[in-house]
Amino acid sequence: MEKVNFLQGRDFLKLLDYTPEEIEKLLDLAAELKAKKKAGKPHRLCEGKNIALIFEKTSTRTRCSFEVAAYDLGMGVTYLDSQGSQIGKKESIADTARVLSSMYDGIEYRGYGQEIVEELAKYSKVPVWNGLTNEFHPTQILADFLTIREKFGKLKGLKLVYFGDARYNMGNSLMVGAAKMGMNFVACAPKEYFPSEELVKTCNAIAAQTGGSVSRQTDPMKAVKDADIVYTDVWVSMGEPVEVWEERIKALSPYQVRGEIMKKAKKTAVFMHCLPAYHDLKTAVGKEMGERFKRKSMEVTNEVFEGKQSIVFEEAENRMHTIKAVMAATL
């Protein structure tokens, strides 16, 4: 194994901070660590270190990924939820960063504004990792790209179409990641749900250097033509008021990923979703909103989610392998 900590001391806050070569190296390291995990070979590369996980927003995949990855690397973990931390309440973000970084070797933050994780990093003496903010979700994109690379053997030149609300962390981060890696990204949504003009301009400039492209489309059938990857996410994010469901369903129903959408993509196309997904009524929220709005599913039909083209659970597993790579590289 080559030098693992090639990003030693760096924060991992958004993919805009990283070069295509650095992202590729992280994916290579993740693939190598995944192979070791599958072969049962120990890889305790961070033996004796300790990390703090701050979760102002709860999670299944992100928490489990960080914890298992840390244990595999030989680290101790302290989990702090919104009740277990005084961040932003009795203690400022800056003070929290200074206290935690005097005790821990790395800090993960999952919560609200990007400015919070950026301020944590500013005052921390140790690497800070973004587990999700309203604006960006970089660890998810690494997992997505490792999964795509496993499926297609490459990233460059592939067409990824994102359906739904493209204004927030997943639409933003997929667009940034695709631009960095020379992919062709399409945001398919109503115009008012497109990513910001400023970020689109930034990504266009990046794509011009990498051979990728960034575009926006309101017509689902036009957008999905020749797509290699069809991607979607929930229409209402964690922390948003329940009242927005009606507005989102009305606006985004034409952008639900259905069988006819997948048929318009390439025959080799895959379906991806960062999870959790409202593909049936087997969750409390899915059942409540399904009954209220007389729908069997929301952003994706169960047919597509459970279909042969779906690789959502391979994608979910790869959260752990790519997060492990980020921690090993930066520590």
Side-chain angles (χ1 to χ4, degrees), residues 1 33 36-37 41-46 72-74 324:
M1 184 181 284
L33 294 174
K36 286 183 180 293
K37 174 86 169 175
K41 294 180 180 178
H43 42 283
R44 298 173 71 83
L45 303 171
C46 303
D72 282 354
L73 291 170
K324 187 184 294 182

Side-chain angles (χ1 to χ4, degrees), residues 24-39:
E24 197 75 55
K25 281 188 77 173
L26 281 171
L27 295 175
D28 289 342
L29 177 57
E32 193 171 350
L33 294 174
K34 180 175 181 177
K36 286 183 180 293
K37 174 86 169 175
K38 296 293 185 183

Side-chain angles (χ1 to χ4, degrees), residues 194-214:
F194 284 159
S196 73
E197 287 290 342
E198 183 182 1
L199 188 59
V200 169
K201 185 178 178 180
T202 298
C203 290
N204 270 321
I206 295 167
Q209 300 297 314
T210 64
S213 67
V214 169

Side-chain angles (χ1 to χ4, degrees), residues 35-173:
K36 286 183 180 293
K37 174 86 169 175
K38 296 293 185 183
K41 294 180 180 178
H43 42 283
R44 298 173 71 83
L45 303 171
C46 303
E47 189 77 61
K49 294 185 183 293
N50 294 282
I51 63 169
L53 307 179
I54 302 172
F55 276 71
E56 291 195 299
K57 286 185 179 180
T58 57
S59 168
T60 300
R61 277 151 301 283
T62 303
R63 178 180 177 177
C64 293
S65 296
F66 268 100
E67 290 196 356
V68 174
Y71 297 144
D72 282 354
L73 291 170
M75 294 194 285
V77 178
T78 301
Y79 175 79
L80 299 167
D81 61 17
S82 58
Q83 305 303 312
S85 166
Q86 297 298 341
I87 185 170
K89 299 191 285 286
K90 292 183 179 179
E91 190 161 48
S92 71
I93 294 161
D95 289 356
T96 299
R98 287 182 282 205
V99 169
L100 291 180
S101 64
S102 71
M103 302 178 186
Y104 293 94
D105 300 287
I107 302 166
E108 179 270 355
Y109 173 81
R110 178 184 174 93
Y112 297 93
Q114 180 72 13
E115 70 276 4
I116 299 174
V117 76
E118 299 276 353
E119 189 173 358
L120 272 172
K122 179 180 177 181
Y123 290 97
S124 172
K125 296 180 292 186
V126 300
V128 172
W129 310 299
N130 180 0
L132 174 142
T133 63
N134 293 340
E135 292 83 3
F136 295 108
H137 198 0
T139 61
Q140 178 66 53
I141 306 313
L142 285 185
D144 296 339
F145 285 5
L146 178 61
T147 313
I148 292 167
R149 211 172 69 163
E150 288 171 344
K151 178 68 178 176
F152 294 98
K154 64 175 184 176
L155 294 172
K156 192 173 180 66
L158 296 178
K159 179 178 177 179
L160 188 155
V161 185
Y162 181 84
F163 284 86
D165 192 343
R167 300 171 295 177
Y168 300 124
N169 46 39
M170 283 310 301
N172 288 345
S173 295

